[in-house]
């Protein structure tokens, strides 16, 4: 994460929006989260809660609207009112807000929520997964020996399918030695050994199992800004390019191919030009940051609103040849 941005009374850190990190660009530097364990979607590790009190009252200053995805982690009980006020304030300004909810907490009225079942997976309370609302997006935090076992995964997938969940995105958690020791407290010997000595669980293996067994989509779509913010179409096509690059990496395709898509995505995210207009006028070919393969993807998106390449790569990721030892 990089420099802080002062937004009212909340300081936010910034990061590059990545498909595997739920497209997050902004996240709070300090957050009054729940006391227990939760998944930090932006870091891909365990979350850290700073105090359990309420959020400060939102400032009514003239700070500019955040122009990309703002991530609000799960809130402690006393902070939920302040969190809901933040959601309303930023949504009214057009900022795409990604709100994380711990299962089985009910979700506030938001456009994009991600449900985090980490506490119930660790406690073995898989029945709570049935309370996730239909059509929801769920993250499955993968931890060797604790959340990747056949029995846990099979029952969890079945309950989420019965609940009508639409997207189930796997996230292999990056854990420090101290976090591993915390998770290992009270764990059985087999789980302890897996935590410290087994390779990290494979996101692809989990995604294939979830898709082939229950039809879960493997990735959340990029949340887009709304009026009065501009630039939604640029964010949309940059998201498709980033998704293509991410899938090429996951499929171990040549680095040059994936980096070409990522380079084009970063340029489109940063430019003030209307990329759709550039493509319609035939001027995208003179942009050095956009190679031929990326330009073809943009032109297809302009014509159809989708990318056959991303669809093909996603199908290969979910159904193509695969060795269980792959990351």
């Amino acid at each position: 994460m990089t420099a802080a941005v002062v937004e009212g009374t909340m300081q936010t850190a910034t990061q590059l929006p990545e498909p595997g990190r739920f497209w997050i660009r902004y996240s709070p530097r300090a957050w009054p989260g729940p006391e227990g364990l939760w998944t930090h979607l932006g870091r891909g590790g365990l979350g850290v809660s700073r105090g359990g009190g309420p959020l400060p009252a939102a400032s009514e200053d003239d700070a500019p609207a955040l122009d990309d995805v703002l991530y609000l982690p799960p809130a402690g009980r006393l902070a939920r009112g302040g969190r809901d006020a933040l959601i309303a304030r930023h949504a009214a300004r057009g900022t795409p807000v990604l709100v994380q909810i711990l299962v089985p907490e009910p979700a506030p009225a938001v456009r994009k929520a991600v449900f985090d079942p980490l506490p119930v997976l660790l406690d073995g309370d898989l029945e709570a997964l049935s309370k996730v609302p239909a059509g929801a997006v769920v993250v499955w935090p993968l931890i060797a020996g604790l959340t990747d076992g056949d029995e846990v995964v099979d029952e969890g997938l079945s309950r989420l399918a019965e609940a009508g969940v639409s997207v189930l995105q796997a996230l292999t958690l990056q854990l420090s030695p101290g976090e591993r020791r915390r998770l290992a407290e009270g764990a059985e010997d087999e789980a302890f050994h897996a935590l410290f000595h087994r390779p990290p669980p494979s996101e692809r293996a989990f995604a294939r199992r979830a898709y082939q067994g229950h039809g879960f989509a493997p990735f959340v779509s990029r949340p887009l800004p709304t009026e009065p913010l501009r630039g939604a179409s640029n964010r949309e096509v940059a998201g498709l390019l980033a998704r293509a690059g991410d899938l090429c990496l996951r499929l171990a395709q040549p680095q040059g191919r994936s980096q070409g898509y990522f380079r084009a995505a970063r340029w489109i995210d940063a430019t003030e030009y209307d990329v759709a207009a550039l493509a319609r006028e035939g001027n995208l070919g003179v942009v050095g940051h956009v190679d031929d393969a990326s330009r073809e993807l943009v032109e297809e998106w302009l014509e159809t609103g989708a990318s056959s390449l991303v669809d093909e790569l996603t199908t290969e990721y979910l159904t193509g040849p695969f060795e269980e030892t792959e990351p």
Side-chain angles (χ1 to χ4, degrees), residues 31 72-75 79-88 91 97-115 133 136:
W31 185 253
L72 297 183
R80 290 175 192 168
R83 175 204 62 188
D84 293 350
L86 272 176
I87 293 170
V97 182
L98 182 72
V99 182
Q100 184 176 351
I101 309 298
L102 288 183
V103 177
E105 177 191 337
V110 293
R111 291 182 60 213
K112 187 72 76 172
V114 176
F115 287 82

Side-chain angles (χ1 to χ4, degrees), residues 51-251:
L55 282 166
S59 170
E60 297 299 328
D61 59 21
D62 294 324
L66 299 177
D67 61 353
D68 207 347
V69 176
L70 169 64
Y71 166 50
L72 297 183
R77 182 177 57 84
L78 295 177
R80 290 175 192 168
R83 175 204 62 188
D84 293 350
L86 272 176
I87 293 170
R89 179 185 180 211
H90 284 283
R93 299 166 79 177
T95 298
V97 182
L98 182 72
V99 182
Q100 184 176 351
I101 309 298
L102 288 183
V103 177
E105 177 191 337
V110 293
R111 291 182 60 213
K112 187 72 76 172
V114 176
F115 287 82
D116 177 10
L118 180 59
V120 300
L121 293 178
L122 295 177
D123 292 343
D125 181 21
L126 300 185
E127 186 176 351
L129 297 176
S130 302
K131 300 177 182 178
V132 176
V137 173
V138 175
V139 59
W140 189 286
L142 287 169
I143 303 173
L146 295 178
T147 67
D148 66 336
D150 288 340
E151 291 185 9
V152 171
V153 171
D154 285 343
E155 183 178 348
L157 293 180
S158 295
R159 290 190 177 277
L160 292 174
E162 291 169 2
V165 166
S166 61
V167 178
L168 182 57
Q169 182 162 332
L171 182 61
T172 300
L173 299 196
Q174 308 299 312
L175 302 170
S176 69
E179 290 171 334
R180 293 177 194 274
R181 288 191 293 272
R182 181 181 179 187
L183 288 165
E185 293 177 3
E188 297 179 357
D189 290 344
E190 183 178 350
F192 182 91
H193 182 272
L195 265 171
F196 286 93
H197 302 293
R198 212 169 71 193
S202 164
E203 291 181 4
R204 187 180 181 191
F206 181 91
R208 289 164 62 88
R209 188 171 184 172
Y211 172 76
Q212 295 180 17
H214 300 280
F216 290 115
F219 303 114
V220 65
S221 60
R222 185 177 192 174
L224 301 175
T226 58
E227 294 292 342
L229 284 181
R230 302 173 61 187
S233 64
N234 276 17
R235 294 278 188 246
E236 181 180 352
V237 71
L240 280 175
L241 287 161
R243 174 71 68 207
D246 180 70
L247 284 165
C248 286
L249 276 183
R250 291 173 184 265
L251 293 168

Side-chain angles (χ1 to χ4, degrees), residues 240-313:
L240 280 175
L241 287 161
R243 174 71 68 207
D246 180 70
L247 284 165
C248 286
L249 276 183
R250 291 173 184 265
L251 293 168
Q253 296 193 359
Q255 284 279 334
R257 188 183 189 199
S258 61
Q259 291 307 314
Y261 292 125
F262 284 133
R263 182 168 55 251
R266 289 192 293 269
W267 180 82
I268 292 173
D269 261 340
T271 187
E272 295 184 1
Y273 290 111
D274 182 339
V275 171
L278 287 178
R280 280 193 296 267
E281 295 162 2
N283 293 325
L284 201 56
V286 301
V287 178
H289 297 280
V290 180
D291 60 15
D292 290 344
S294 300
R295 178 176 51 78
E296 291 173 5
L297 188 153
V298 174
E299 291 171 348
E300 183 187 3
W301 162 79
L302 185 61
E303 181 178 347
T304 68
S307 166
S308 58
L309 171 67
V310 169
D311 292 343
E312 291 165 6
L313 292 172

